[in-house]
Amino acid sequence: IITIAEVLERVNDFERMLAEFYAKLSHETTREGVRLLSDYMSRHRQRTHTALLELPIDEAEEIRRVCHTSLRYEPQGLGTCCFEGVELGPNASAAEVLDVAIKFDECLIRFYKQVSQQHVDQHIKELFESLARKELSDEIQLKKIKAMDYF
């Protein structure tokens, strides 16, 4: 059994891992475009925390009220398993970095949907649906950047 608070903490842990991953890549890469992209990605990975801070006060209070609600099913697929098969060396291209970023977004989207599809308080459902939409929007932006061969 896992609570909403624990789910949100797991997401924050995952976002910290992503920030560290991108910061390390930014430091190790030999390509300026990859350095710029990975530096941006490392700073950009505080989405869940930011989304919670941006909630209207009444919604935030309602989320806090129900954050100790237990989920019937523990959502899966977020954490180190998302890093399996991800190997970016110092010569990685921007396209490879974007592919990895898209993979990470897809992990988060699946995770958020697993929570929102359970029988939970409406505020919790809306929060996780909103988080999934933000990640989907980000995934679309990353795909556009990749298609434009911006870097």
Side-chain angles (χ1 to χ4, degrees):
I1 295 181
I2 188 168
T3 66
I4 297 301
E6 291 168 325
V7 167
L8 292 172
E9 185 58 35
R10 188 176 292 174
V11 170
N12 282 331
D13 290 346
F14 182 68
E15 288 189 339
R16 270 193 295 280
M17 286 191 312
L18 290 178
E20 291 169 8
F21 172 82
Y22 289 123
K24 181 179 180 213
L25 179 63
S26 177
H27 179 71
E28 293 176 351
T29 187
T30 58
R31 297 178 179 210
E32 189 59 30
V34 171
R35 181 174 289 112
L36 290 170
L37 179 62
S38 56
D39 185 50
Y40 165 77
M41 296 296 287
S42 72
R43 289 181 281 114
H44 188 61
R45 284 309 327 175
Q46 296 297 319
R47 286 198 190 107
T48 305
H49 181 72
T50 303
L52 291 172
L53 291 175
E54 292 174 352
L55 287 173
I57 291 173
D58 59 330
E59 285 185 43
E61 288 174 1
E62 185 63 25
I63 299 287
R64 276 192 288 279
R65 185 184 66 75
V66 296
C67 73
H68 296 291
T69 301
S70 296
L71 293 176
R72 181 174 287 181
Y73 306 104
E74 184 172 341
Q76 301 296 313
L78 194 63
T80 56
C81 65
C82 290
F83 288 89
E84 290 175 5
V86 174
E87 295 179 25
L88 294 176
N91 294 318
S93 69
E96 291 170 315
V97 174
L98 289 167
D99 285 339
V100 168
I102 291 166
K103 177 183 175 179
F104 292 147
D105 280 345
E106 289 170 349
C107 285
L108 281 163
I109 292 166
R110 279 191 305 274
F111 188 81
Y112 293 147
K113 285 183 177 182
Q114 288 178 47
V115 176
S116 68
Q117 292 172 350
Q118 294 191 40
H119 181 69
V120 292
D121 182 90
Q122 189 61 31
H123 293 285
I124 298 296
K125 181 180 285 298
E126 290 170 5
L127 170 66
F128 282 93
E129 287 172 348
S130 171
L131 292 170
R133 282 191 304 273
K134 286 182 183 203
E135 291 301 329
L136 183 58
S137 175
D138 185 55
E139 180 181 351
I140 291 167
Q141 287 301 109
L142 292 172
K143 287 178 178 179
K144 286 179 183 177
I145 291 169
K146 183 179 177 191
M148 293 183 332
D149 198 22
Y150 188 73
F151 291 96

